[in-house]
Amino acid sequence: MKVEAFDAMYPSTSPMIQIEQGFGRWLDYQGMDEVEKRAEEISSRSYGHLRDLVQILKRQQQQFGEISERRAADLDSLERGDAYVMVTGQQVGVYGGPLFAVYKLLAVIKRADEAEKRLGKPVLPIFWMATEDHDFAEINHVFTTQTFSRTLKKDSLSTIPLAGKASVGELEFDRAKLELVQMAQRLLLNETETPHTSQLYGELIDLIQSSHSFAEFFAGMMRRFVGNDFLMFDPHAQDVRALERPMFRRLIEHHDALIDALGHSYEEGMPSIELNREAHLFYHDGTRELLTKIDGVYTTKRGHRFTENELLAELEAHPERFSNNVVSRPLMQDYLFPTLGYIAGPGEIAYWLQLRPLFHELGWKMPLLLPRLGGMIVSANDEKKLRQEGVTVEEYVKQPLPDHPFDDEAFDENLYAYRTLTGAISHEARKHGRRFETKSKHVLERLADEMRAEAKRDHYRLNTRRFHLSTRLSPMDAPQERVLSMVPILNRHGLDIFRRLRSAYEQSDSERCLFRV
């Protein structure tokens, strides 16, 4: 495998580029160059709950798959308060979600190792699974290829009870198992069979059968196909919520100040992104409902009403009934863990830029904000087809090739001489009777139809190459990393492909990489 820097996959205005060039004035720390300053700041803070948190992490790793001896030792260091963490996160999409979820994981491992070398202390890479999220439509699907088409098909799970209303971590995963098996079959049937297909299918079925939640299935994909040198964290566990109680209390008591800070956090030049600026906590009572403060009373759409004192009493009795939104989750992350930095994608970078005033309101600084790996995988077959089309990967990414149109009018013009000959032959045949004229026209028109059909077959063969490039490199005119799942990549390139990607990426100086496999 070869890896090279590949900035062409993002426009120059993308947050993935600008985080390194134009957003510095909205950050407390300027990338990894200031990791020592960040370490000094969080070393002065108290994390009295670390012992209990580490015990939870150890239990969760047993559930999601055992970690390496190195990370087990690092957890012991974290328990003693002698280690840091680097965090990333994502929704728990089926079959690992889009490829960028894997790239986040690879990036957090690399950044943690880099920070560890600089600080001389263990730094644990943690993947925060967004199990508290209730957007089932965000996680319930994959995209599969279709024969003779550049359009991919969205293959989604049926709705299960409370899907879209309750947190994903609370949904009955067992109800989806049969559909997930069928989805795996469709994913692989729509792919070319390779030497890896049979083993991959067996691994996927085993993962489905051994999992009992969407978090377990997601974590299992990462453990089995990426490695065991990182930690998976499920925040929507009851024992985690109990540890979060003091921070939820602060979020409630500082509600007005945090909302005011967020209301004034956007500045000219920041990426435009929608944020709920009126609420930052959810309440769970069978479903997940946003808590909005109106005239001093916290309310939900289903009619729950709490004064601040009532809400604090409810929190004291039932912390498991509370969860964060995208605004308060980074704050909770900073409370729970001695967090050096967060590995973010473009959308996350856009909203994190507005969160610094909220960290300051709580007397903290915002952690390092670092871009995830941006990756594009190109096979030898892809490159062969690019050469046949006369374009480079970079040119193709900037301007994907459209279908070759079939020009009926031009084809008819090319048949002008044939049509003239047909007329002459028909004229001569007529001299021997109308039936000969009719028969000659029929034979010659049928021959013309066959020539048109052959021309269309030749034309289709030209487009087949372009269909291939589109579905592999720019599916549905979107970046490869945002559409394709792990499964087709594993089938095409082997069950160790993501371990090989990790090795190549860690030897690269770039965070935007073209992987030639």
Side-chain angles (χ1 to χ4, degrees), residues 149-150 382-405 462-477:
S149 175
R150 65 166 60 221
D382 299 334
E383 297 204 270
K384 177 183 176 181
K385 287 177 168 54
L386 287 168
R387 287 194 299 271
Q388 290 171 334
E389 292 287 354
V391 296
T392 65
V393 181
E394 183 171 345
E395 289 168 341
Y396 185 86
V397 168
K398 290 181 177 179
Q399 187 62 56
L401 300 171
D403 291 352
H404 291 288
L462 284 175
N463 275 335
T464 299
R465 190 162 62 222
R466 295 197 172 189
F467 292 164
H468 172 101
L469 290 171
S470 173
T471 56
R472 298 296 181 93
L473 305 184
S474 185
M476 300 190 297
D477 296 323

Side-chain angles (χ1 to χ4, degrees), residues 4 45 50 89 142 193-194 198 221 235 241-242 248-249 349 391 463 473:
E4 59 189 65
R45 288 163 53 182
L50 269 183
V142 293
E193 186 172 357
T194 70
S198 178
M221 287 289 295
R241 294 299 183 217
F248 280 131
R249 173 177 288 275
I349 291 171
V391 296
N463 275 335
L473 305 184

Side-chain angles (χ1 to χ4, degrees), residues 129-143:
M129 296 184 290
T131 47
E132 69 270 39
D133 193 273
H134 61 274
D135 190 351
F136 185 63
E138 187 78 18
I139 70 152
N140 72 345
H141 62 274
V142 293
F143 288 95

Side-chain angles (χ1 to χ4, degrees), residues 2-7 383 393 508 510 512-516:
K2 295 181 179 179
V3 59
E4 59 189 65
F6 194 61
D7 287 349
E383 297 204 270
V393 181
S508 170
S510 178
R512 294 170 291 280
C513 297
L514 179 68
F515 298 103
R516 300 183 187 273

Side-chain angles (χ1 to χ4, degrees), residues 70-357:
R70 172 194 177 189
R71 294 308 180 196
D74 289 347
L75 268 177
D76 292 337
S77 296
L78 182 64
E79 186 174 4
R80 296 192 299 269
D82 197 30
Y84 305 102
V85 305
M86 194 74 75
V87 183
T88 194
Q90 187 61 36
Q91 287 95 339
V92 288
V94 296
Y95 295 105
L99 285 175
F100 67 74
V102 184
Y103 297 157
K104 282 185 167 184
L105 179 54
L106 297 183
V108 78
I109 296 169
K110 181 179 179 179
R111 294 300 200 176
D113 286 347
E114 182 181 346
E116 185 168 309
K117 289 176 183 176
R118 298 181 67 146
L119 299 174
K121 284 188 175 183
V123 179
L124 289 86
I126 292 180
F127 194 105
W128 181 298
M129 296 184 290
T131 47
E132 69 270 39
D133 193 273
H134 61 274
D135 190 351
F136 185 63
E138 187 78 18
I139 70 152
N140 72 345
H141 62 274
V142 293
F143 288 95
T144 63
T145 55
Q146 301 184 91
T147 306
F148 310 139
S149 175
R150 65 166 60 221
T151 302
L152 275 65
K153 181 181 180 181
K154 189 175 185 179
D155 192 349
S156 302
L157 297 174
S158 301
T159 298
I160 57 181
L162 294 179
K165 297 179 180 179
S167 293
V168 169
E170 299 167 6
L171 300 181
E172 296 178 71
F173 178 79
D174 287 353
R175 286 178 175 264
K177 284 188 173 183
L178 177 59
E179 279 195 81
L180 284 168
V181 170
Q182 295 168 338
M183 185 181 284
Q185 293 168 347
R186 289 190 294 270
L187 268 171
L188 293 173
L189 283 172
N190 287 323
E191 286 288 314
T192 301
E193 186 172 357
T194 70
H196 318 296
T197 306
S198 178
Q199 183 183 352
L200 174 59
Y201 179 69
E203 296 268 1
L204 295 176
I205 299 308
D206 182 59
L207 273 172
I208 293 167
Q209 299 302 342
S210 63
S211 299
H212 300 287
S213 68
F214 285 97
E216 279 190 34
F217 186 40
F218 181 91
M221 287 289 295
M222 298 303 177
R223 276 278 181 265
R224 194 159 299 194
F225 300 116
V226 182
N228 63 353
D229 204 29
F230 51 86
L231 280 70
M232 304 298 294
F233 177 60
D234 180 0
H236 198 56
Q238 190 163 335
D239 48 7
V240 175
R241 294 299 183 217
L243 291 187
E244 293 177 334
R245 186 191 283 116
M247 184 59 189
F248 280 131
R249 173 177 288 275
R250 289 188 71 183
L251 291 171
I252 293 169
E253 292 173 342
H254 287 254
H255 176 276
D256 294 350
L258 291 170
I259 293 300
D260 183 66
L262 188 62
H264 297 90
S265 65
Y266 179 80
E267 296 182 19
E268 190 68 31
M270 287 181 176
S272 178
I273 191 167
E274 289 188 16
L275 278 177
N276 188 321
R277 300 180 185 277
E278 302 301 324
H280 52 245
L281 290 178
F282 283 92
Y283 181 72
H284 298 247
D285 184 18
T287 60
R288 186 175 188 241
E289 307 166 58
L290 195 63
L291 281 165
T292 304
K293 190 175 183 181
I294 302 174
D295 297 330
V297 178
Y298 292 88
T299 64
T300 72
K301 286 185 177 180
R302 289 186 64 197
H304 291 289
R305 293 174 59 84
F306 302 95
T307 64
E308 181 172 308
N309 286 336
E310 289 171 340
L311 193 63
L312 290 171
E314 180 73 357
L315 170 64
E316 191 65 28
H318 298 288
E320 73 280 0
R321 294 182 180 176
F322 293 79
S323 68
N324 302 284
N325 73 348
V326 296
V327 170
S328 57
R329 186 201 57 75
L331 301 173
M332 184 64 76
Q333 168 190 298
D334 224 47
Y335 167 78
L336 280 180
F337 295 102
T339 307
L340 293 172
Y342 184 77
I343 310 299
E348 291 170 307
I349 291 171
Y351 74 76
W352 266 76
L353 293 176
Q354 300 185 41
L355 301 185
R356 183 170 67 167

